[in-house]
Amino acid sequence: MTDTDIVVVLTALDLEYKAVRAHLDDTEVRRHEAGTRFETGTIRGTSCRIALALTGVGNQSSAVIAERVIQEFSPLAVLFVGVAGSLWDKPVRGDVVVAERVYAYHGGTSEDGGLKARPRAWEAPHAVSQLAHLLDRSGDWRERLPAESGSPDVRFGAIAAGEIVQNSSKSREAKWIRDHYNDAIAIEMEAAGVAHAGHLNSATVGIVRGISDMADGTKDATSDVQWQPRAAANAAAFAIALAEELVTERKALDMSRAESRPEAATSTGGTTVHNVASGQVGIQAGTVTGSTVWMNVAPTSDRIDDLAAAVADLRVRLDRARAAGEFDADTYEAAEEELDTAATALRAPNKDGRKKAVLALKRLNGLAAETTDVAAQIALVIAAVNGLS
């Protein structure tokens, strides 16, 4: 399955899962061949689609499940949603934290002079960060909060992700974080795994956490019962609003790109019309050039040759853009690699081949985002691959 208008939401705990699921309608269970269960549904009151999955606790399991859902759905974005502990007294319980970067803080090297940090970090995608700040300023996301949630603040900053439950402000681990990652404002156990899986698969990842404890020795079973559900509900409300904004923005961008294409150009012998769309296209023209076009029917498995020709046409467009100075050498080389991957994957007459081709084309689309001609044609080819039976 490939769908650029679906957002994957991952959680580690059942209570976090239920907090997200409470915002969804028309849910259906989908089973991965390895046994992982996903639920797909729409955000209540909208057509925005969500795929929800439970990872379990820890960076390793979250990385595995994150990669699995990316391969399964090729989503617009992956959001990890759940609870976290606060660092340095702010944010407070109930607040929402959106990661601007994620630290895997357990990396280091042991030397005679002590343990030396080997930092590893992942920055939040710019578009996700910008949308999250916009949501915070507008306050519209608060309409999704449960009545008992109060008025939580949204905080933006670094999140530290390790492999232990941090519940002390005086321990060796607390000192380690204070010495080496002192701009972190929250701490948890899954974000590094999800961020790394997103990095390896060129997927957009956002981390949204609700503060359920202060990570200072006051965390206990009684406070968890009170604060974990509230923190999870607050994080879920913000994340669902963010997912809706991501999908809405993507649709608006696709429409804008289509409208910005020249509708007609005069040429010898008639009119040449360039049509760009991800669905059915009506064509009225004297001459149609520069595109592989399917009329009235989506491409099926016996049209692989047509798709191969479309990929070859992409290569011509890419070369033309490079010659015009629209690609630097490194970007051009990376784009060629993705084209080669897509072409090879399309020769495999099965679902996995199609999924690999779409992922490669999506990565290519990211590289060519500033090149209208190439990006528009990539969108056509992705739609064609998705239409294969």
Side-chain angles (χ1 to χ4, degrees), residues 262-274 287:
E263 294 182 356
T266 303
S267 64
T268 302
T271 300
T272 301
V273 180
H274 303 272
T287 306

Side-chain angles (χ1 to χ4, degrees), residues 55-226:
T55 67
V57 176
N59 287 296
Q60 294 183 20
S61 62
S62 66
V64 171
I65 300 301
E67 180 159 56
R68 189 165 292 170
V69 295
I70 292 168
Q71 295 292 333
E72 184 75 9
F73 293 99
S74 300
L76 173 60
V78 178
L79 302 180
F80 199 95
V81 182
V83 301
S86 175
L87 295 173
W88 334 132
D89 299 328
K90 288 185 180 181
V92 300
R93 289 183 179 91
D95 282 354
V96 173
V97 173
V98 180
E100 296 281 25
R101 70 193 60 83
V102 174
Y103 294 131
Y105 68 84
H106 271 135
T109 176
S110 180
E111 300 177 4
D112 290 343
L115 186 61
K116 308 297 183 183
R118 287 189 172 178
R120 191 162 195 184
W122 296 267
E123 294 287 329
H126 179 66
V128 172
S129 176
Q130 289 284 296
L131 271 181
H133 279 279
L134 181 63
L135 273 178
D136 177 36
R137 290 193 297 270
S138 72
D140 294 343
W141 71 277
R142 296 179 182 278
E143 297 175 2
R144 301 182 182 276
L145 287 169
E148 66 275 12
S149 289
S151 184
D153 288 329
V154 180
R155 308 280 185 172
F156 295 86
I159 287 180
E163 300 300 331
I164 60 173
V165 176
Q166 180 67 25
N167 189 28
S168 172
S169 60
K170 303 176 182 178
S171 67
R172 180 180 61 184
E173 289 77 16
K175 184 178 185 301
W176 172 260
I177 294 168
R178 188 161 51 246
D179 288 345
H180 299 285
Y181 306 95
N182 60 19
D183 64 331
I185 63 173
I187 186 166
E188 42 95 303
M189 299 173 63
E190 290 82 29
V194 178
H196 190 50
H199 170 72
L200 293 179
N201 289 277
S202 300
T204 298
V205 171
I207 309 295
V208 180
R209 292 288 188 170
I211 297 299
S212 61
D213 63 86
M214 304 308 292
D216 61 356
T218 60
K219 174 182 170 66
D220 57 34
T222 301
S223 63
D224 280 352
V225 168
Q226 177 184 0

